[in-house]
Amino acid sequence: MDRYYIKSKRILIGDDLTPHENAGILIENGKICKILERISELKYADTDKVFDYDNCTIMPGLIDCHNHLALDTRLENHLQKMEDCESEQTIRALRTMQDDLYSGVTTSRCCGDRYYIDVICKKNQREGNIIGPKLIVSGIGMRALHGHGYVGMPFNGPDEFAKQARQNILNGVDFLKVFMTVMK
């Protein structure tokens, strides 16, 4: 059993993120098992690993509810970069995942990436090949030919949408993303 403790000067706990001074966390088999509101509650053997983050504050992970891994708005002409080749977009996606994780995002809901980049990243993350937040993925975003959306791919009519929806599901998506445009 993999077991270790994390100690910190301050941990934000609960729905209201109440700060607790000199708190700790017990991790077993990669999951938070117990939050200890006082370091004095820490009872560990000499062989247990203890990570002491001294003057840091530990907070719960953040959830990004809408992103596109290969779309980096920090880049100049970021929308035009959605026409880049699969390799360029994949490199951007890997960087985005790492940046998100290091900023505190532990779960990302990916609302469409071309080439199934989000699905491939999720699979490789599960296999331990890459790091990043837990991914909830939609695969190829679907939009009408005349509709909005730089990330979504254009489809016409119910047959094309149904075919792509089935293909997304076959590729292992968690949900389907449909870009909607209302014409007046």
Side-chain angles (χ1 to χ4, degrees):
M1 170 173 27
D2 186 30
R3 174 184 169 121
Y4 60 93
Y5 293 88
I6 298 174
K7 294 174 16 176
S8 179
K9 179 176 182 173
R10 185 178 307 101
I11 296 179
L12 305 179
I13 299 173
D15 292 340
D16 58 353
L17 299 178
T18 303
H20 290 267
E21 300 294 322
N22 299 314
I25 302 171
L26 170 60
I27 310 287
E28 287 184 355
N29 295 322
K31 297 197 184 251
I32 294 174
C33 171
K34 187 173 185 183
I35 296 176
L36 307 155
E37 295 183 10
R38 288 173 293 287
I39 289 179
S40 60
E41 294 178 26
L42 290 175
K43 295 182 175 112
Y44 48 89
D46 291 337
T47 56
D48 285 339
K49 294 181 213 167
V50 179
F51 298 94
D52 190 346
Y53 288 95
D54 195 28
N55 286 325
C56 295
T57 298
I58 297 174
M59 61 184 231
L62 303 171
I63 299 172
D64 185 343
C65 294
H66 187 141
N67 77 4
H68 304 278
L69 295 179
L71 181 64
D72 187 344
T73 59
R74 299 172 293 185
L75 300 175
E76 190 173 331
N77 299 317
H78 66 277
L79 293 176
Q80 286 73 28
K81 291 188 180 299
M82 294 315 303
E83 299 301 325
D84 286 353
C85 69
E86 184 175 358
S87 299
E88 289 291 333
Q89 290 194 40
T90 301
I91 290 167
R92 242 187 340 268
L94 293 171
R95 189 175 335 113
T96 298
M97 287 177 62
Q98 187 175 27
D99 291 350
D100 284 352
L101 186 62
Y102 291 155
S103 72
V105 173
T106 58
T107 302
S108 287
R109 191 181 88 170
C110 306
C111 295
D113 275 292
R114 294 185 181 176
Y115 311 108
Y116 291 103
I117 290 171
D118 55 349
V119 176
I120 294 165
C121 285
K122 178 179 179 173
K123 177 183 176 286
N124 277 276
Q125 182 189 38
R126 258 195 330 255
E127 294 171 355
N129 298 325
I130 58 176
I131 64 165
K134 175 184 175 184
L135 300 178
I136 301 167
V137 300
S138 67
I140 305 299
M142 299 176 290
R143 66 176 178 83
L145 182 61
H146 66 277
H148 80 285
Y150 283 87
V151 178
M153 297 301 293
F155 300 95
N156 286 315
D159 290 341
E160 285 187 20
F161 272 86
K163 182 179 178 183
Q164 184 58 47
R166 285 190 294 275
Q167 190 63 46
N168 279 347
I169 293 166
L170 181 65
N171 277 286
V173 302
D174 299 305
F175 68 100
L176 297 172
K177 167 68 185 262
V178 179
F179 294 79
M180 301 304 281
T181 301
V182 178
M183 301 299 285
K184 291 189 177 191

